[in-house]
Amino acid sequence: MDFIRAPRRTRRTFLSTLTAAALAATLAACGGNGGDDRITSESIGSTGPAGDDAWQQVVEAAKAEGEVTIYSSNAADALAELGRRFEADYGIRLNVVRDVDANLHQKIGAEAETGNRVADVVTQASVPWAVSLGAEGEFAEPVGPAFTDSASEYDVTTLKDDTGYFVSNASVLTFGWNTQRYPDGVDSYGDLLDPALGDGRIGIVLPTSTAHVDFYDNYLEQVGGEGYLEKLAQQRPRIYPSALPLAQALASGEIAAAAFVQDQKSEQETGAPVDSAFGDVVWGAPMYTAILADAVHPNAAQVLANYMITPAGQEAVSFRNASVLPGIGSAVTTVDKVAPQNTDAMTPAALEELKARFGRLFNQ
């Protein structure tokens, strides 16, 4: 049969000017979950509504394509588990390019500029970027039954109008501590202002995404009180490029506490002296996923997007995060329970202002 091809749209000459914050990390989608008992194999095969004959043709064309590439700022372990499950259920290899949002934006912009497209699907946390590209027709509409079938539990209101991008999960971050270096533990962000955690004993992340605007300028002011960031700066914390190296520093004892890590149960189960907790209001960055209109593997991209919002896919991508479906055992909460973002304030200009302020406060 002929492959089903998504309509090609005019390439935009977009190249993000956001600054890079970490080196590119191209990962093979293999491996597992580090032994965390919240990940099981029970949901493999739980691929949601079967869909009609037209969808089955897309699935068969996707299998013929044989592979698909996702660019994502989701956690590496979640992406590895997604790849393992996707290949088990469909026999399609998932190639993963994991990086921070700013770098992913640059990669996708450069590919559009040169006409050398590699990415098929992108998952990132920047609202303005998703809005901009979606409005310019750079995303293909997802057509899978998890989006369209009445039997699906996915809330289709998270599919943003006709721009093609949708919420696939929310990356939930919180505070954590090293139980050897700070045995009293942390109950709130206010506890990070303890003088005993000064002089480089706390770790925080460099702002590189508009999601960080919400975290630093909105969320921390709510839960920590007015002027919280200025007070945190007086602790002279260490700065890390993203949540992953921050969590590694916490586990190694390089720092005693951290302001922006995932829940630490997995690290505990592998013997790391760490713990974490959640306040009454949970911060999370919704992850906006989209199929690129000029995807190299358009059918496999459709199948992957559909898979990501089924129980099997959600148990992977929502591992230690917030799920878009109820009853996902690997998730710590659901997207509807995450604190609302002030999306109007999450602009590229606001990010540049935060970077400048951050640089002044933390001598960056």
Side-chain angles (χ1 to χ4, degrees):
M1 61 169 289
D2 293 333
F3 287 2
I4 300 169
R5 185 80 197 177
R8 297 185 68 87
R9 313 231 180 129
T10 302
R11 295 181 186 274
R12 74 195 304 262
T13 56
F14 173 90
L15 182 60
S16 171
T17 57
L18 295 175
T19 57
L23 294 177
T26 303
L27 306 175
C30 59
N33 55 74
D36 193 302
D37 59 11
R38 290 171 290 184
I39 284 281
T40 70
S41 296
E42 294 178 1
S43 67
I44 293 179
S46 301
T47 56
D52 57 15
D53 289 344
W55 175 248
Q56 293 308 313
Q57 291 179 19
V58 173
V59 172
E60 291 306 311
K63 291 178 179 179
E65 289 170 352
E67 63 180 303
V68 62
T69 297
I70 187 170
Y71 284 11
S72 177
S73 55
N74 266 320
D77 50 7
L79 292 167
E81 182 68 14
L82 176 66
R84 185 180 75 85
R85 288 163 175 259
F86 188 62
E87 186 162 3
D89 281 332
Y90 286 102
I92 300 169
R93 185 174 72 251
L94 178 62
N95 306 312
V96 175
V97 175
R98 185 192 178 277
D99 211 331
V100 296
D101 286 351
N103 290 350
L104 295 178
H105 299 166
Q106 289 179 329
K107 292 176 192 294
I108 289 173
E111 289 178 12
E113 186 83 6
T114 63
N116 184 26
R117 177 64 74 203
V118 176
D120 295 305
V121 175
V122 59
T123 297
Q124 52 83 55
S126 173
V127 176
W129 188 85
V131 170
S132 176
L133 267 71
E136 295 187 18
E138 294 296 320
F139 301 145
E141 179 183 0
V143 299
F147 295 98
T148 61
D149 197 301
S150 60
S152 173
E153 293 186 278
Y154 183 69
D155 180 3
V156 294
T157 61
T158 63
L159 181 60
K160 303 300 180 181
D161 303 320
D162 60 352
T163 55
Y165 68 92
F166 59 94
V167 176
S168 57
N169 63 297
S171 180
V172 175
L173 285 303
T174 187
F175 48 84
W177 63 95
N178 185 290
T179 55
Q180 293 177 345
R181 291 200 59 184
Y182 196 70
D184 289 345
V186 178
D187 293 322
S188 70
Y189 279 100
D191 289 348
L192 296 181
L193 303 181
D194 181 355
L197 290 174
D199 297 321
R201 295 179 179 89
I202 300 172
I204 63 175
V205 294
L206 190 73
T208 61
S209 165
T210 55
H212 292 132
V213 174
D214 185 69
F215 178 73
Y216 281 119
D217 286 348
N218 180 33
Y219 178 76
L220 286 185
E221 291 288 305
Q222 290 182 33
V223 299
E226 186 176 354
Y228 181 86
L229 194 59
E230 286 75 10
K231 296 172 185 176
L232 185 61
Q234 293 174 12
Q235 294 285 66
R236 290 184 287 180
R238 298 191 185 197
I239 314 298
Y240 293 85
S242 66
L244 180 59
L246 175 59
Q248 292 169 339
L250 185 67
S252 71
E254 180 176 293
I255 53 176
F260 198 79
V261 292
Q262 287 188 298
D263 125 271
Q264 295 291 292
K265 181 178 178 181
S266 288
E267 287 75 11
Q268 281 183 336
E269 292 185 351
T270 58
V274 291
D275 204 348
S276 60
F278 290 94
D280 294 335
V281 180
V282 178
W283 185 84
M287 302 300 289
Y288 301 98
T289 297
I291 302 164
L292 292 170
D294 56 355
V296 182
H297 307 99
N299 302 290
Q302 287 285 351
V303 175
L304 175 62
N306 185 80
Y307 188 77
M308 289 175 70
I309 60 169
T310 66
Q314 279 295 292
E315 191 167 87
V317 298
S318 298
F319 175 50
R320 300 201 288 181
N321 285 316
S323 172
V324 296
L325 298 181
I328 301 300
S330 65
V332 297
T333 189
T334 50
V335 167
D336 61 305
K337 294 181 172 62
V338 172
Q341 289 185 320
N342 182 7
T343 55
D344 290 341
M346 294 168 61
T347 64
L351 175 59
E352 293 307 313
E353 290 176 8
L354 174 61
K355 288 179 180 179
R357 180 182 170 213
F358 194 93
R360 291 192 299 269
L361 288 172
F362 298 99
N363 298 316
Q364 291 296 298

